[in-house]
Amino acid sequence: MSQILELSDAKSKGFFGRAGTVIGRRTEGRGIALLSVILVIVALTEPLVFSAYSVTLGRIALIGIVALGLTAVILMGELDLSVASTLALSGVVMASIPELWLGILAALATGLIVGLINAFFVSVVGINSFIATLGMLFALRGLAFVISDEAPVSLVNKEAGISFGEPLIGPITPRVLIFILVFIAIQIFVSKAQAGREFFAVGGNRQAARDAGIPVTRRIVTGFMISGFVAALAGIINSLERTTADPTAGSTVLLTAFAAAIIGGNYLKGGRGSIVGTLIGAAALGVLQVALTISGVQVPVQQIFIGAILLIAVTTDPNSLRSVRGSIRTLRQGRAKNSVTT
Amino acid sequence: MTTKGTNAETTMTEVGATQKSSIGVAEILAWSSRNGVFVFTALLIIAALVFVDGFASLINVTDVFHRAAPVGIVAVGMTFVVISGNYLDLSVVAQVATAGVILIAVSNTHGIFIAMVAALMAAILFALVNGIAVGVFKANAVIVTLATTFIGLGVLRYFSGGSIFFGPPDGIIKAFGMGKVGPIPYSAIVLLVMTILLSILLNRTNFGFLIRSFGVNESATRLGGSNTALIVFGAFLVTAIAAMVAGFVLAAFSNTAVSNDGVGYDFRALAAIIVGGTSVFGGRGSVFRTLLGVIFVSVLTNILVLSGISFGYQQIALGALIVFAVSLDAIGRKVAR
């Protein structure tokens, strides 16, 4: 899964040095490190998180679903900021249609259409995906407000929503089951299907991929449609469990899902990443969030935690660290040169 | 390295595009993405004067100025980040609110001077975190500033408890917020002064030249011997100080401050910058264009509000406007190539 490995840095000293290189080299290394630190701290301070595992699993599932969709796009070096609004919009669409199954289908179609529009602007028009999906983020949020009349929409079929939250087998609620299915589907697609494997090529070097005959535009469309579809799925699950669809839903999920995907080793410029890594990242953040909530930490402080993890995740990427080492080296060389000349 | 007063929008990237003699689609698209804002703003104002009742009234004009000023001040500052090729600074949402809350809360207890110094410290801290993460660690600016938004808002909400702070009813803050010259409030004059100062900074100084050259070609700027981390930090610092001034102006206008004050400023400022014709691809743009974009976006929003169009539709309109303006820029580039 880890596509690009650094083979240097083998001159490690002792066990910790070697462990450090392994963690730094593996795509999922940072995710595993974060997960184990969080698991140990939580196990010592708030073991309730593990005994209430159905809550924890549900939290991981919500973060994980959105993060998995994002991963498909990030692998190609693109970004989809609109997932937060897609989540809200699809929930509102589903709730405003009285027939439940029709609503779910319409919501999923919404996700696919959003993905298609995003992909059109990114690959055909050629706008940077940050800006295109940022515009979509606000436009879709507006659309969700318009459809919902600026108020949460309650589900017509409340019983379906309530029965949706009941466990099927053991702790496995439908939400967790869908998450597992999405995980397996995307993992197989990315590692076994040719189209999915070409995502890495598109992200690694787009021109080379095009020269090698990979239909880059079609791959980008596929990626954005996956991320839109999966975000819509998350929106459906979210509104079914709360039995209402909130047009403002999803902004914190966006932050958390990004943090999960990036700490899982997915490189934002594309070409390197791992679905398993995203799963590990989502697990780490889900456990952290539930632990913070159970131990009564206020919501603003939780935001600080998640924001800080996102900041750490994006700055400790192997490529970021390499550029830091590079700039330190140039700084030193420059100083040495200056001291020689003066 | 002096710039000899070159205009910011004629940078190296466009020399090739303007050499064709025949007027084709490329020229029209490129021209309209560069200069369309002049035409569109004029048309919009004329249309508003003719079709929208109450647009030309004195109260409404003052209201437009009042609403445009803080957004505009953020936008002229954020133009630096956009021109330096780092897309945008989402954390202005947190910066505007932080500055406002610090100004009102601290000046109630320690006086206005200490409050302003404290707000400046907060602004520098924001710029430091953003600048180091983006400039030194080469992390994506959108993700970094998304993270700092949540960290900043989290800290602010934790310390303020989400409560609203009220300034004294007869203080200097309120006097400034209510003050006007004719129909023009002081805040709009601050916007104008900021525009002129930042325009000089961008077009006539070495720092401005480096910002523009960094936006055009990052590695060439680095190989030219400049400290690129400092350039990125400088761009974020200009944005942070502008966002601080905007927070002051906003807090002074209502004489209150709350941690939600900055919501939507990232988006409206970006809309103004892009509509003004500053390229999200970096390198090309100007502060005066952003001012025009601010006027366009403010007048458009005002028309929508006066016509009784709901908040949702306003969001859709602004989101579509951003995507449309960027598409024009991108297509113009593509065809020109």
Side-chain angles (χ1 to χ4, degrees):
Chain A
M1 260 138 277
S2 27
Q3 248 46 25
I4 303 169
L5 297 183
E6 280 175 78
L7 293 176
S8 60
D9 291 353
K11 42 178 195 283
S12 49
K13 300 129 205 150
F15 170 75
F16 286 106
R18 214 168 300 147
T21 8
V22 169
I23 286 173
R25 193 192 289 160
R26 288 287 303 183
T27 302
E28 299 91 347
R30 291 178 303 145
I32 293 172
L34 181 73
L35 180 61
S36 27
V37 168
I38 287 178
L39 282 182
V40 168
I41 294 175
V42 169
L44 292 177
T45 58
E46 203 68 55
L48 196 59
V49 173
F50 300 113
S51 40
Y53 49 82
S54 63
V55 178
T56 314
L57 277 180
R59 192 72 223 166
I60 293 173
L62 183 66
I63 300 168
I65 288 178
V66 181
L68 284 176
L70 277 179
T71 307
V73 184
I74 294 177
L75 284 182
M76 291 185 292
E78 304 289 351
L79 219 75
D80 189 354
L81 293 166
S82 68
V83 286
S85 296
T86 313
L87 193 153
L89 177 65
S90 59
V92 169
V93 165
M94 183 191 75
S96 50
I97 294 176
E99 193 67 44
L100 185 69
W101 287 108
L102 224 57
I104 290 179
L105 283 181
L108 291 177
T110 309
L112 288 177
I113 293 169
V114 168
L116 209 58
I117 297 173
N118 281 333
F120 170 77
F121 283 114
V122 170
S123 61
V124 180
V125 181
I127 309 179
N128 194 302
S129 61
F130 312 126
I131 303 293
T133 55
L134 189 73
M136 288 291 282
L137 175 71
F138 288 99
L140 294 177
R141 175 80 70 209
L143 195 58
F145 272 117
V146 167
I147 293 178
S148 67
D149 245 342
E150 306 190 14
V153 187
S154 358
L155 233 55
V156 178
N157 192 345
K158 281 221 167 75
E159 290 74 32
I162 293 164
S163 68
F164 187 83
E166 280 160 7
L168 295 175
I169 323 141
I172 307 289
T173 54
R175 183 205 308 223
V176 178
L177 186 68
I178 291 173
F179 170 60
I180 294 171
L181 290 179
V182 169
F183 168 72
I184 293 173
I186 295 186
Q187 169 66 14
I188 289 176
F189 176 71
V190 163
S191 59
K192 295 286 186 292
Q194 195 195 342
R197 288 159 65 130
E198 285 172 359
F199 277 23
F200 288 99
V202 173
N205 187 334
R206 192 157 295 177
Q207 192 54 48
R210 197 166 277 142
D211 293 344
I214 294 173
V216 172
T217 307
R218 224 190 304 157
R219 295 291 165 267
I220 291 177
V221 172
T222 316
F224 274 104
M225 284 177 81
I226 291 177
S227 119
F229 181 83
V230 169
L233 210 56
I236 293 170
I237 294 170
N238 202 26
S239 344
L240 272 177
E241 296 216 330
R242 299 178 180 200
T243 66
T244 52
D246 186 356
T248 61
S251 53
T252 317
V253 172
L254 174 75
L255 184 81
T256 324
F258 265 120
I262 296 171
I263 201 82
N266 296 294
Y267 182 38
L268 275 176
K269 287 189 181 137
R272 165 164 56 75
S274 143
I275 302 293
V276 177
T278 305
L279 176 69
I280 295 169
L285 288 166
V287 170
L288 177 70
Q289 267 198 340
V290 174
L292 290 176
T293 311
I294 288 181
S295 48
V297 173
Q298 295 172 22
V299 176
V301 182
Q302 293 192 23
Q303 286 182 344
I304 300 174
F305 268 98
I306 308 285
I309 287 181
L310 179 58
L311 194 62
I312 292 168
V314 78
T315 47
T316 56
D317 188 274
N319 286 55
S320 291
L321 292 180
R322 206 177 305 139
S323 70
V324 172
R325 264 185 304 226
S327 39
I328 290 174
R329 209 178 304 130
T330 30
L331 215 63
R332 267 202 206 125
Q333 279 168 357
R335 202 163 287 157
K337 227 179 273 169
N338 281 346
S339 61
V340 167
T341 47
T342 50
Chain B
M1 268 188 276
T2 53
T3 57
K4 303 235 167 70
T6 46
N7 212 346
E9 53 260 28
T10 54
T11 45
M12 305 79 161
T13 44
E14 283 166 44
V15 177
T18 48
Q19 280 172 352
K20 284 184 201 162
S21 55
S22 65
I23 296 178
V25 188
E27 278 70 21
I28 295 171
L29 280 175
W31 186 87
S32 55
S33 99
R34 237 174 285 154
N35 301 318
V37 65
F38 297 101
V39 181
F40 290 139
T41 309
L43 284 179
L44 192 71
I45 291 177
I46 293 169
L49 287 173
V50 176
F51 294 113
V52 183
D53 281 339
F55 178 76
S57 70
L58 199 64
I59 298 172
N60 188 52
V61 170
T62 311
D63 186 57
V64 171
F65 276 126
H66 263 308
R67 284 172 200 282
V71 180
I73 295 169
V74 171
V76 290
M78 203 159 90
T79 307
F80 278 69
V81 170
V82 179
I83 291 182
S84 75
N86 283 313
Y87 313 118
L88 78 163
D89 184 352
L90 289 172
S91 64
V92 290
V93 172
Q95 294 174 11
V96 168
T98 307
V101 169
I102 289 181
L103 179 75
I104 301 276
V106 178
S107 67
N108 279 346
T109 52
H110 294 84
I112 190 162
F113 179 72
I114 304 235
M116 286 171 118
V117 172
L120 184 66
M121 291 296 159
I124 292 173
L125 191 64
F126 268 110
L128 262 180
V129 176
N130 287 335
I132 289 175
V134 177
V136 180
F137 287 87
K138 305 274 187 291
N140 183 303
V142 178
I143 303 294
V144 167
T145 56
L146 183 69
T148 47
T149 307
F150 273 79
I151 298 173
L153 281 182
V155 172
L156 187 63
R157 283 185 185 140
Y158 179 73
F159 283 113
S160 73
S163 51
I164 303 178
F165 293 89
F166 295 92
D170 49 355
I172 183 169
I173 298 173
K174 176 149 195 202
F176 176 85
M178 287 287 116
K180 305 185 259 212
V181 183
I184 302 170
Y186 286 164
S187 55
I189 296 171
V190 172
L191 168 61
L192 197 65
V193 171
M194 288 282 289
T195 309
I196 294 168
L197 286 180
L198 291 182
S199 199
I200 292 170
L201 184 64
L202 185 65
N203 289 331
R204 306 280 164 138
T205 65
N206 202 358
F207 170 69
F209 174 79
L210 286 176
I211 292 268
R212 284 180 283 137
S213 87
F214 185 80
V216 174
N217 193 333
E218 185 180 330
S219 36
T221 312
R222 188 176 55 247
L223 293 174
S226 307
N227 185 342
T228 51
L230 267 182
I231 298 176
V232 173
F233 169 67
F236 278 107
L237 186 63
V238 171
T239 308
I241 288 176
M244 177 193 76
V245 174
F248 288 172
V249 163
L250 188 67
F253 175 51
S254 58
N255 206 18
T256 58
V258 67
S259 54
N260 282 343
D261 271 348
V263 173
Y265 272 66
D266 49 348
F267 174 55
R268 272 181 281 165
L270 182 74
I273 292 169
I274 290 175
V275 168
T278 293
S279 173
V280 280
F281 300 95
R284 180 164 63 77
S286 87
V287 178
F288 272 112
R289 289 173 163 280
T290 298
L291 184 65
L292 266 180
V294 170
I295 295 172
F296 182 87
V297 171
S298 309
V299 170
L300 181 69
T301 315
N302 183 250
I303 292 174
L304 294 178
V305 171
L306 286 182
S307 321
I309 286 168
S310 73
F311 172 74
Y313 282 109
Q314 293 175 33
Q315 290 273 92
I316 298 176
L318 281 184
L321 190 69
I322 287 190
V323 175
F324 173 74
V326 182
S327 300
L328 214 60
D329 184 18
I331 295 172
R333 263 161 193 269
K334 224 181 213 176
V335 183
R337 207 176 291 142

